Amino acid sequence: MEPTNQTAVSEFLLLGLTKDPALQSLIFNLFLSMYLVTILGNLLIILAVSSDPHLHTPMYFFLCSLSFNDICLSTSTVPKMLVNIQTQVQSITYIGCLSQIFFVLIFAYLENFLLAVMAYDRYVAICHPLRYTVIMMPHLCVLLVLISLFISSVDALLHTLMLLRLSFCADLEIPHFFCELAQIIKLACSDTSVDNVLIYVATCIFGGIPLSGIIFSYIHIVSSVLKMPSSRGKHKAFSTCGSHLSVVSLFYGTGAGVYISSAVTDSPRKTSVASVIYSVVPHMLNPFIYSLRNRDLKEALRNLIGKTTSLL
């Protein structure tokens, strides 16, 4: 393939999921609906927690952080895809593509860390209930979120800066609906071994460590719950973890599905469909999982909706 100097690259082409006009219309309506549900659902979670003083606890603070992160992650990919479908323009500028990669990486890594922090919060609440208020102080909760954001930003910036050294080939078509780091690296004509190693190392560290923390927390949680004498106490303890465990399973399960699909198939289209499920569906379902399984949150949502309708 004919190399093109990276300074001459002005734009990439996002091929999306299909070229069929009829299917594009269906995909546009589907993704617009999913995006609106994601924004509305997560926004309701934030407003419900903010409006109810009884929910001003570390667990719900982390939940609000997760909801805000889900809004940001969806906003970094879906609106651009909707605009491209509506205008029938598939291009995205070189700077725009790098910016999209940067923000997607930030919020994707931050999701990992937030899920791990939420698991730690449940671990302290169940395994050390008498020391919970002493350990999970408000400043520590804020610090955990800020540290997670800082680490995610540094890692995303490192990946993005590494892309600046690459030169690209004449073929600048991305078989995806957003700029994905792995797809951009595949388009490069220069040596990408350092970039590939960096991806594997970052995935192992910033994906493996949070996942290990979650597994460690739940091993101790299960061990502590099984030692409880009353069945009511066991049920209450497991119910507080059920929503988080469902979200963790959904997030890492779809992530594993993307990895497996990319490993077993050479079709970029099938891989992009799997990436859609990973990048859109979990963030849309998270508010439903928490609101349906959490009695206090359901009550806060009812009060919020009741106040809103009375004002109207």
Side-chain angles (χ1 to χ4, degrees), residues 23 33 58 107 109 119 141 145 149 161 182 202 215 221 235 244 287 312:
L23 284 177
S33 302
F107 299 125
Y109 282 125
C141 298
V145 173
L149 179 60
L161 293 176
I215 294 173
I221 287 172
H235 176 74
H244 177 259
L312 296 176

Side-chain angles (χ1 to χ4, degrees), residues 82-107:
L82 296 176
V83 170
N84 284 5
I85 294 176
Q86 188 69 16
T87 60
Q88 294 297 305
V89 176
Q90 297 178 310
S91 62
I92 181 171
T93 64
Y94 178 73
I95 298 300
C97 189
L98 294 185
S99 300
Q100 191 175 62
I101 290 174
F102 174 72
F103 286 110
V104 168
L105 289 176
I106 284 180
F107 299 125

Side-chain angles (χ1 to χ4, degrees), residues 210-250:
L211 181 58
S212 299
I214 292 171
I215 294 173
F216 173 83
S217 297
Y218 274 102
I219 288 174
H220 284 269
I221 287 172
V222 172
S223 176
S224 297
V225 171
L226 292 178
K227 293 177 183 177
M228 292 180 179
S230 67
S231 57
R232 184 178 180 181
K234 292 179 181 178
H235 176 74
K236 183 178 180 181
F238 278 127
S239 64
T240 61
C241 300
S243 300
H244 177 259
L245 199 55
S246 299
V247 170
V248 168
S249 301
L250 180 64

